[in-house]
Amino acid sequence: MLSPRLLGARVSGTHGCLLVSAVNGYALDDGLRGTLASRCAAFERLPFVANAALTRAAVAITLLDREDAPGEAAFLLTGRAPRLRAHGGQWALPGGRVDAGETPTAAALRELAEEIGLSLPDDDVLGTLDDYPTRSGCLITPVVVWAGRRGRLTPGPQEVASLHRIPLADIAGADAVDFIAIPESARPVVRVRMNGHLVHAPTAAIIYQFRELLAGRTTRVADLEQPVFAWR
């Protein structure tokens, strides 16, 4: 599922008005929150016209501080429990199925509370990104959420085997993302280096679009492929 690989050094440079520091990364402050909120508001989200075969789902791109470097911005990545029936043992953003009568935003917040014990109000939602259809039959809506400074979180062991805070600076570098070809599809497979591994779509596609938003760019990802192991 995952190819072990060391993360590269952080890259110094500017992306829009945000500075990526080789030492401090992105500061978790009001400036970052305001910039992301503005970019989410300006983002022209593309909803996907779902057919009846696709199950609606939502995931949270949750911004908070690093445990080992308080004040530096990171996002949450989970390792799914191996015994889960769907995509057990894979890397994922917190999230799950959208219940009947529920919005994707409400589903993402509910799943954050259920999976890792993090309860956040609607005011902490910064925006949503493009819907992403998966080969396994889901239509995922990514929800960008600001959690701010948080201490120890309590993941539910039934769903979450491990919980990681990935520094934003780790996905900002030019070498953080690559694309490969597979014989089963004409579409490129996207991969993002996170937490010492190569993480694939769907999670990688969503993080890639967020990375582009962080850099002040609009990049569509619905046509990016997933590896064959994620098709089921």
Side-chain angles (χ1 to χ4, degrees), residues 28-216:
L28 187 82
D29 57 19
D30 289 342
L32 177 63
R33 177 170 183 159
T35 297
L36 286 175
S38 296
R39 290 180 181 170
C40 284
F43 181 76
E44 295 183 7
R45 192 179 96 85
L46 291 183
F48 187 84
V49 179
N51 57 51
L54 292 177
T55 299
R56 293 304 304 261
V59 297
I61 303 171
T62 309
L63 299 162
L64 74 178
D65 56 343
R66 292 180 59 177
E67 281 188 307
D68 58 346
E72 181 180 344
F75 66 92
L76 287 177
L77 184 70
T78 72
R80 289 172 60 80
R83 62 182 172 273
L84 288 174
R85 182 174 59 183
H87 309 296
Q90 295 181 20
W91 293 113
L93 296 164
R97 181 179 301 215
V98 177
D99 291 339
E102 193 175 39
T103 66
T105 294
L109 293 178
R110 173 180 55 76
E111 290 286 346
L112 270 177
E114 292 176 359
E115 286 189 17
I116 60 174
L118 179 57
S119 297
L120 297 172
D122 291 345
D123 289 348
D124 284 332
V125 174
L126 303 184
T128 54
L129 304 184
D130 288 349
D131 291 338
Y132 184 83
T134 75
R135 287 277 194 171
S136 60
C138 289
L139 183 64
I140 303 174
T141 300
V143 181
V144 183
V145 182
W146 185 269
R149 299 207 174 189
R150 296 283 164 174
R152 186 176 181 84
L153 300 173
T154 54
Q158 296 81 9
E159 295 186 65
V160 179
S162 59
L163 185 62
H164 310 268
R165 305 190 190 200
I166 309 300
L168 294 190
D170 283 355
I171 63 169
D175 63 346
V177 179
D178 68 15
F179 304 89
I180 60 171
I182 58 173
E184 295 84 357
S185 176
R187 299 157 54 193
V189 174
V190 60
R191 310 184 301 183
V192 181
R193 294 177 180 86
M194 290 183 280
N195 202 41
H197 296 89
L198 284 171
V199 179
H200 299 79
T203 298
I206 292 166
I207 293 302
Y208 175 50
Q209 186 170 62
F210 173 73
R211 168 192 185 268
E212 295 293 281
L213 179 81
L214 183 67

Side-chain angles (χ1 to χ4, degrees), residues 20 41 57 88 142 196:
V20 186

Side-chain angles (χ1 to χ4, degrees), residues 16-34:
C17 63
L18 299 176
L19 177 66
V20 186
S21 164
V23 176
N24 298 318
Y26 289 89
L28 187 82
D29 57 19
D30 289 342
L32 177 63
R33 177 170 183 159

